[in-house]
């Protein structure tokens, strides 16, 4: 490396490499698909999938703030998600459908998440990473048990259903045509379902943009510094515990907000959709598949995983049918074993593309 | 619908992601056998082909909701049957209402599925927890001489079951001396056993510990702690066949069971046992019978109804009685729960059979039980 | 050459996609200290690692006595009696000084005599015998690394920059110690400290850009400042 | 004060202290004996699984979520072997019983060893030192393993037969101790002694720790570290599978979720005990076993939280566990 | 004039071993002090006590008039104490520029700002770029720090310290392992800091030529104790110092 004449270096830093552009393009394309999902995909399942993708993008991106940016391994993320969802759902159930219930319930849930995050963070973010992971795992399982035992309030294992404001019910006509029937746009009925979807989409979009802003801010780099070399970050003047706790709380609050949106969309809440360890594993898979420490990775990871969860089975069914003559293969391709293949794919991914899809793409064309 | 269009029935079950997937398999087999029996192998109703579409809930309530919505909305299924676990099924209930189509619950058991948060589009062929526990209470022939301590898991299923068991004992003179609740995944029962024994051992009379747990084996530790030394008997409800192997430790134990293939004496059950043996090389189990009952209910409803409009179907099914491998079932008009018989058994051990045999003592008829009405769909 | 204990024959080594050694050929005669010199990045460390089998030669041969060790697994090479003191010292920080030493002796037991000599050379080792090695000072870690290499009788010791971070007094001691060790063992020494190298070395080789650019007696190089400037880009005598 | 405590056993006194407090609170000696014996035996069974994890996680610094899959596999293989040898198992001869049991445990352990070999080579080797990827890749392996178990044994709970000579309890007065637990206690002790000897009286323990820190240097000292790592991994998985096999006989109704349910408990034990020390794992396991039993008797409501609380308290008091082998 | 940095009876024990033993010492602005001493004398440990990585068993540290012994390392950095490490200690996956930018940002207190205009980031970057240029690292600004060769990593270590603009600079063997043609860059940098007379510089170094070239004053540590303090020529002439440090004419056993 010669000390050559380059007073204006750093240009290399500012030129956006091709791989990075590709990631932005993919994320934008996905964003556009989601923005027009009700009109692009008219079948019922696709809409459910689209809403779920929106919510999970927020959830996974907020987890990426922890694991990808700051290097904090937490197993309590679904706990915060669940607090938001349960808070909203319980108040909706008690007060009946209404915006006041959503706002109050959501606020209670988010506040609870925040307080818990502060407590856990201050108490245990000083200890070794692995112990922190265990503490959060313990906290999450206590919460799960609580939800199951306080079944009078939480519906226990089975969860409970409730009503949401009329604006979001399928019978709601957003616009009426001349005959008083629900107006259609490109053949899609503009009913409460569409309103509900856009509620989900816009809330998710706002939260996602907030996170993009956070990681591009000075704080974002400090988080990475804390992940890379805690002791050095402290030595140049950053209070590591404070930053860790702060980001842990921010992530918790965002997860809880995602939970609020989830509760409003689903009209049902239960451990399986808002609290279980299964969701935690899904989040982990998504964040890794997408690529840690990129935020955009969350978008890609969630889409890939969701499509696999909802459609890989169908594919395997076809594959199993096509190979029915060959011994053994159909058994392994049995659609009920789709998780097996997902697991294998996942291992291969961690093995060969540890940076995930977005991370690998971004590296391409840098140097 | 044109005459050529097949009539679609959706089976919305958990097929992957949980150990319970085995239950779904049993239901599916039973359901298909049921259709075969009811249509005499033609798979047609009123000249329309029946098409069964299977949907996997992956045991996730959110997935369940979307696949059910898909079944109703995109695949235009007429009726859906499912789901496997109570939680997933709870989440599915509002979808039936949203699409105004019938959801036939099988094999999830929770009482709440026909409770206040349910809706009039929901019918349920599977038994509910109250039936289990009440039949169990009846199988103990309760009187002043009976002292019972209960062991259940500490969650809604366990607590609801025990409170309904308590209701059934009320007025019979029997005494409930202790209720023990253990965490759901308990593996060490020593402490609980000590507590149960301490509560019962000084009582004069017939002393019974009623075990009401799911997914764990409390029988083996209890039996090996030798309750007989205090004159204590164990009692528990029947279970699926593989789980009944551990009952071999308690020959002579009495309890009640939802279905055992040798218990019901009727033509349909005979056919089921034979067909199942031929097809799968094993006798039908718990959920096979339930699946078949669900299929028979659907076929009967479709055959009787004038048209297949949801409202017509609902009015046809309310109060409908039909024959199943468990004898006659009737949809109670108020909450759409199917009332059905249970079986009082006594355990017999046969070394040539892998499981302990719950020998039939007597059939407990629906009229004997007082199953609370969950909601009133008539209002 | 009969006297050579170690012979490298046109050794080419790649690290990842980079071609680092471009045909190193040299002989290390039995006995005494032999020095490998060269500027930062010349390939000295890479040469030692190639001998140890920690990098693999893509082409050429490494021969120890009559064993071809080019493709031999590292543990087997070590068991032939070759010890290695790496550039980064390779201390096991979680282990105590004693445990570090115990791993370095083949039998797991210590010869009291040799241990005495180690303690005499580096009293800090005795003082911190039961201390965990991560808590040692930078120089003490370096001492531990060398102690491990000499706790047993070895045939050949490869040492990578032992004086880095050591105080002058210790360096002086080390000169004496190495002279003593070199009486029973051959030492191949990589060094930047020319004073140190000059006072010990019998033979010397200079590496530049992955090639041997000079080899011969130490006295010859030490006496020729022009050669030093040409080979090592500045007069080493001036420095230090 | 501290020094005196240290002289009389230090942290090893905690279980004794716990037992004394429990005695005072329980009141009934027979109940206390029953609970204590049960707790010790339970602890020993957990120890079997925890020791495997502690070896791999504590010494080799590999956080293996797949550990629970070995436990589950062990349980199911033992169940299968026991089912196949059902007639020997129920025979009146203790020798035949014993052979059947040994075959079951042996098969599970052997499987564990082989699976451990495969696991180390294929799954873990590429991600040594990278905790995050370890968590992820072993999590993936766990999913695959669970699916395989589902594919092979199906999802239905499987009943496991106990050998005739180990069923029932020994009853002395009002004290009842399950025979099976006595067996577990003995087996656990045997494993402890072997491991303790191997790690503390030989250089193996040192080598593993050194190898984790600096693999190349250990090789440069003449040791075949890769073989050693494989060996440790195989031993760890074999112990997990052995623990699973023992657990199958104990729980008598097993589901594929068994391993996962135990995993948290095993993690807690390892963390309480401190990383990498076999004594620590034993201590942690016994503490957990005793506490679970005492609390379940005295305050049944608390029994779920008791282990979590124990872990929190220990971590606050000693952030590296009670008896860590590796500090810092 | 109050000294810019002062330690009072600074002591730390590890178990029974006293690594730093009652060191009382003061440093003025505009002065470059070289700290010498045999290996294990306690130089790095003393640095750790001043910059807060270790807490003293006894004694106090003052920055100007302010006692800072109870502060965390980050608080001490904010108070104007900056150090570079003996073993290179960077943010390996971040770019060279970001490494330096983080130091600039910490000094400016911009760390906790979540929402900030892009323009202010640009300002931070431009300033960081300036430090890179003075350390002759501008060319590699976009590389991750881990990809740099050893010499450049040492330079980056120093550039980060300069970017912190502390009142007290502490260098721990900044040229260790650097080849003779690389080391001058660092020495030049240190010399240029020295021109600003408001700064205090502490330097641990073993190489005698460096010591002679830069030192205004030499402090000698031995077995954790301060054994000599004064002008370079005077200190180096003391027989005791020659003995423990250079090993000249000394009984060799004494050396460590
Ligand atoms: N792991 C690696 N990956 C890529 N290149 C490497 C690696 N290790 C060394 N190199 C390169 O190989 C060349 C030779 O390095 P080597 O460490 O052998 O030099 P050296 O002579 O020992 O230098 P020094 O005096 O700095 O220790 C250098 O250009 C270096 O950048
Ligand atoms: N964390 C610790 N635990 C125990 N002892 C320690 C610790 N840190 C340092 N020491 C001891 O304190 C003494 C001083 O170490 P220090 O690193 O300060 O020396 P130094 O003067 O910097 O030496 P060098 O020139 O070799 O770097 C050494 O004997 C070392 O073993
Ligand atoms: Mg080198
Ligand atoms: Mg030092």
């Amino acid at each position: 490396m010669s000390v050559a004449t380059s007073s204006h270096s750093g240009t290399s830093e500012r030129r956006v490499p091709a791989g990075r552009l590709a990631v932005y393009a993919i994320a934008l394309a996905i964003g556009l698909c989601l923005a027009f999902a009700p009109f692009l995909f008219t079948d019922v399942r696709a809409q459910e999938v689209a809403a779920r993708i929106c919510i999970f993008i927020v959830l996974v991106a907020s987890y990426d703030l922890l694991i990808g940016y700051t290097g904090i391994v937490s197993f309590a993320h679904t706990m915060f998600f669940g607090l938001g969802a349960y808070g909203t759902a319980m108040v909706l159930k008690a007060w009946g459908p209404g915006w006041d219930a959503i706002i109050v319930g959501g606020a209670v849930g988010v506040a609870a998440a925040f307080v818990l995050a502060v407590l856990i963070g201050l108490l245990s973010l000083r200890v070794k990473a692995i112990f922190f992971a265990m503490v959060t795992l313990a906290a999450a399982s206590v919460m799960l048990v609580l939800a199951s035992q306080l079944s009078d309030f939480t519906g226990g294992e089975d969860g409970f259903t409730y009503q949401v404001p009329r604006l979001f019910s399928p019978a709601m006509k957003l616009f009426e045509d001349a005959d008083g029937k629900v107006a259609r746009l490109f053949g899609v009925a503009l009913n409460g379902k569409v309103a509900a979807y856009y509620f989900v989409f816009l809330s998710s979009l706002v939260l996602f943009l907030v996170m993009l802003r956070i990681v591009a801010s000075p704080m974002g780099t400090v988080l990475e510094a804390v992940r890379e070399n805690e002791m050095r970050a402290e030595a140049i003047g950053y209070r590591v515990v404070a930053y860790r706790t702060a980001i842990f709380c921010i992530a918790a609050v965002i997860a809880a907000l995602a939970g609020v949106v989830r509760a409003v969309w689903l009209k049902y809440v239960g451990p399986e959709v808002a609290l279980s360890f299964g969701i935690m594993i899904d989040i982990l898979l998504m964040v890794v598949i997408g690529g840690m420490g990129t935020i955009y990775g969350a978008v890609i990871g969630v889409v890939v995983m969701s499509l696999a969860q909802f459609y890989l089975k169908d594919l395997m069914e076809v594959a199993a049918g096509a190979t029915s003559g060959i011994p053994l293969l159909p058994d392994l391709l049995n659609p009920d074993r789709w998780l097996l293949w997902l697991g294998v794919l996942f291992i291969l991914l961690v093995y060969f593309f540890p940076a995930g899809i977005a991370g690998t793409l971004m590296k391409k064309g840098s140097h | 619908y044109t005459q050529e269009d097949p009539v679609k029935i959706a089976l919305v079950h958990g097929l992957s992601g949980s150990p319970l997937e085995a239950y779904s398999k049993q239901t599916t087999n039973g359901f298909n056998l049921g259709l075969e029996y009811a249509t005499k192998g033609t798979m047609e109703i009123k000249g329309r082909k029946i098409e069964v579409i299977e949907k996997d809930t992956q045991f996730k309530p959110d997935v369940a909701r979307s696949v059910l919505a898909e079944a109703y909305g995109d695949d235009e299924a007429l009726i859906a049957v499912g789901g496997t676990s109570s939680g997933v099924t709870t989440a599915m209930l509002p979808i039936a209402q949203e699409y105004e189509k019938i959801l036939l619950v099988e094999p999830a058991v929770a009482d709440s599925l026909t409770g206040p948060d349910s809706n009039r589009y929901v019918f349920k062929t599977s038994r509910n927890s109250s039936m289990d526990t009440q039949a169990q209470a009846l199988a103990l022939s309760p009187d002043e001489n009976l002292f019972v301590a209960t062991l259940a898991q500490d969650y809604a299923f366990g607590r609801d079951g025990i409170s309904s068991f308590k209701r059934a004992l009320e007025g019979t003179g029997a005494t409930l001396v202790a209720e023990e609740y253990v965490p759901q995944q308990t593996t060490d029962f020593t402490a609980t056993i000590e507590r149960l024994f301490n509560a019962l051992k000084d009582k004069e009379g017939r002393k019974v510990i009623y075990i009401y747990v799911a997914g764990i084996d409390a029988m083996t530790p209890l039996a090996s702690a030798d309750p007989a030394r205090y004159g204590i008997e164990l009692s528990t409800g029947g279970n699926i066949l593989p789980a009944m192997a551990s009952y071999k430790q308690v020959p002579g134990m009495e309890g009640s069971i939802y279905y055992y293939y040798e218990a019901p004496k009727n033509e349909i059950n005979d056919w089921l046992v034979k067909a199942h043996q031929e097809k799968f090389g094993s006798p039908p189990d718990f959920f096979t019978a339930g699946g078949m009952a669900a299929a028979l209910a659907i076929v009967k409803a479709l055959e009787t109804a004038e048209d297949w409009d949801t409202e017509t179907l609902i009015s046809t099914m309310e109060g409908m009685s039909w024959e199943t491998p468990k004898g006659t079932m009737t949809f109670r008009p108020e909450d759409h729960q199917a009332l059905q018989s249970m079986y009082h058994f006594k355990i017999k051990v046969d070394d040539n059979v892998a499981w302990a045999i719950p020998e039939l003592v007597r059939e407990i008829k629906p009229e004997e039980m007082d199953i609370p009405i969950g909601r009133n769909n008539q209002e | 050459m009969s006297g050579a204990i170690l012979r490298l024959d046109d050794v080419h080594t790649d690290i990842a996609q980079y071609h680092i050694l471009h045909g190193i050929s040299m002989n290390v005669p039995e006995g005494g200290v032999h020095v490998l010199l060269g500027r930062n990045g010349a390939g000295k460390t890479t040469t030692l690692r190639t001998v140890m089998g920690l990098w693999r030669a893509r082409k050429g041969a490494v021969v120890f006595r009559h064993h071809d060790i080019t493709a031999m697994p590292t543990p087997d090479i070590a068991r032939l009696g070759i010890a290695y003191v790496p550039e980064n010292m390779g201390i096991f920080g979680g282990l105590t000084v004693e445990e570090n030493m115990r791993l370095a002796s083949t039998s797991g037991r210590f010869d009291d005599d040799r241990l005495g000599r180690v303690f005499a050379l580096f009293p800090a080792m005795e003082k911190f015998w039961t201390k965990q090695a991560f808590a040692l000072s930078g120089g003490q870690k370096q001492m531990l690394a060398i102690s491990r290499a000499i706790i047993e009788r070895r045939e050949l010791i490869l040492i990578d920059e032992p004086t880095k971070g050591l105080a002058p007094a210790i360096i002086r001691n080390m000169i004496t110690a190495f002279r003593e060790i070199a009486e029973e063992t051959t030492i191949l020494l990589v060094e930047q400290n020319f004073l140190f190298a000059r006072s010990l070395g019998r033979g010397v080789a200079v590496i530049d850009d992955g090639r041997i650019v000079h080899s011969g007696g130490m006295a010859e190089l030490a006496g020729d400042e022009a050669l030093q400037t040409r080979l090592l880009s500045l007069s080493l005598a001036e420095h230090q | 004060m501290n020094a005196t405590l240290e002289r009389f056993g230090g942290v090893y006194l905690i279980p004794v202290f716990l037992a004394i407090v429990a005695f005072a609170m329980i009141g009934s000696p027979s109940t206390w004996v029953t609970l204590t014996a049960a707790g010790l035996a339970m602890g020993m069974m957990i120890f079997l699984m925890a020791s495997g994890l502690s070896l791999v996680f504590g010494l080799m610094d590999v956080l293996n979520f797949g550990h629970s899959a070995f436990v589950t596999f062990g349980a199911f293989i033992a169940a299968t072997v026991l089912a196949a040898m059902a007639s020997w198992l129920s025979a009146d001869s203790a020798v035949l019983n014993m052979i059947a049991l040994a075959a079951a445990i042996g098969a599970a352990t052997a499987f564990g060893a082989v699976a451990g070999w495969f696991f180390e080579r294929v799954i873990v080797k590429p991600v040594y030192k990278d905790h995050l990827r370890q968590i992820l890749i072993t999590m993936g392996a766990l999913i695959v393993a669970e699916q395989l178990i589902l594919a092979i044994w199906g999802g239905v709970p499987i009943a496991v037969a106990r050998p005739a000579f180990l069923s029932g309890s020994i009853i002395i007065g009002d004290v009842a101790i399950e025979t099976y637990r006595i067996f577990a206690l003995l087996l656990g002790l045997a494993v402890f002694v072997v491991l303790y000897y191997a790690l503390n009286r030989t250089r193996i323990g040192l080598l593993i720790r050194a190898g984790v820190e600096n693999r190349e240097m250990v090789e440069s000292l003449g040791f075949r570290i890769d073989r050693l790592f494989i060996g440790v991994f195989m031993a760890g998985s074999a112990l997990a599978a052995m623990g699973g096999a023992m657990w199958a006989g104990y729980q008598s109704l097993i589901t594929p979720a068994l391993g996962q349910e135990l995993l948290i408990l095993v993690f807690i034990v390892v963390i309480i005990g401190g990383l990498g020390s076999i004594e620590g794992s034993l201590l942690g396991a016994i503490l957990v076993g005793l506490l679970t039993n005492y609390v379940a008797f005295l305050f049944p409501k608390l029994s779920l939280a008791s282990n979590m609380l124990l872990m929190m308290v220990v971590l606050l008091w000693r952030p590296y566990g009670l008896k860590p082998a590796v500090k810092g | 004039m109050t000294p810019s940095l002062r330690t009072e009876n600074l002591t730390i024990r590890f178990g029974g071993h006293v690594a730093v033993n009652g060191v009382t010492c003061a440093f003025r602005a505009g002065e470059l002090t070289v700290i010498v001493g045999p290996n294990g004398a306690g130089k790095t440990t003393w640095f750790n006590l001043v910059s807060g990585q270790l807490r003293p068993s006894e004694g106090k540290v003052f920055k100007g008039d302010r006692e800072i012994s109870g502060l965390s390392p980050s608080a001490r950095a904010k108070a104007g104490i900056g150090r570079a490490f003996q073993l290179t200690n960077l943010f390996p996956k971040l770019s060279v520029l970001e490494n330096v930018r983080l130091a600039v940002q910490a000094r400016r207190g911009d760390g906790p700002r979540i929402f900030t205009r892009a323009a202010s980031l640009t300002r931070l970057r431009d300033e960081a770029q300036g430090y890179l240029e003075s350390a002759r690292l501008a060319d590699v600004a976009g590389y991750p720090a881990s990809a740099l060769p050893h010499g450049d990593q040492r330079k980056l270590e120093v550039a980060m310290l300069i970017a912190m603009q502390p009142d007290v600079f502490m260098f721990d063997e900044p040229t260790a392992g650097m080849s003779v043609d690389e080391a001058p860059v660092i020495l030049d940098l240190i010399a240029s800091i020295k021109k600003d007379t408001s700064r205090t510089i502490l330097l641990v170094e073993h190489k005698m030529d460096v010591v002679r070239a830069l030192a205004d004053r030499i402090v000698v540590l031995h077995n954790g104790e301060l054994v000599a303090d004064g002008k370079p020529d005077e200190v180096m002439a003391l027989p005791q110092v020659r003995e423990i440090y250079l090993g000249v004419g000394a009984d060799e056993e004494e050396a460590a």
Side-chain angles (χ1 to χ4, degrees), chain C residues 39-40 120 123-124 127-128 131 137-140 143 164-170 172-173 176 192 233-234 239-240, chain E residues 17 37-40 86-87 173 176-182 206-209 223 244-248 252-253 255-256:
Chain C
R39 53 186 124 189
N40 278 135
K127 189 164 169 201
F128 299 124
K131 192 174 203 161
S137 81
Q140 289 164 349
M143 297 178 207
K164 180 180 38 142
L166 287 186
I170 300 278
R172 277 166 182 280
N173 278 359
T176 333
Q192 300 245 3
S233 83
L234 79 163
H239 191 70
Q240 284 270 345
Chain E
H17 175 67
N39 298 113
Q86 182 171 13
L87 304 173
E173 297 195 44
M178 287 188 80
S179 73
V180 276
D181 48 344
E182 295 251 30
H206 284 303
K207 289 182 189 151
M208 286 322 292
D209 52 341
N223 284 338
I244 57 178
Y245 190 57
L246 300 173
V248 175
E252 290 190 346
E253 314 259 309

Side-chain angles (χ1 to χ4, degrees), chain E residues 212-226:
Chain E
R212 283 198 202 92
L214 290 174
D216 297 323
R217 168 183 170 197
I218 291 185
V219 167
V220 184
L221 282 183
H222 181 45
N223 284 338
E225 287 173 37
L226 195 151

Side-chain angles (χ1 to χ4, degrees), chain C residues 124 127-128 131-143 164-167, chain E residues 12-15 17-20 35-48 54 86 172-173 204-206 221 223-224 256:
Chain C
K127 189 164 169 201
F128 299 124
K131 192 174 203 161
Q132 283 198 315
F134 77 85
L136 296 177
S137 81
Q140 289 164 349
K141 285 186 180 133
Q142 186 72 58
M143 297 178 207
K164 180 180 38 142
L166 287 186
Chain E
I12 186 168
R13 295 181 202 96
F14 296 110
H17 175 67
V18 193
V20 172
I35 298 160
V36 299
N39 298 113
K43 305 179 293 293
T44 302
T45 307
W46 186 79
F47 265 28
N48 284 337
L54 290 174
Q86 182 171 13
D172 199 349
E173 297 195 44
V204 169
E205 197 40 272
H206 284 303
L221 282 183
N223 284 338

Side-chain angles (χ1 to χ4, degrees), chain C residues 39-46 87 160-161 190 192:
Chain C
R39 53 186 124 189
N40 278 135
K44 305 180 293 291
T45 301
T46 309
E87 194 170 24
D160 204 345
E161 297 199 36
V190 165
Q192 300 245 3

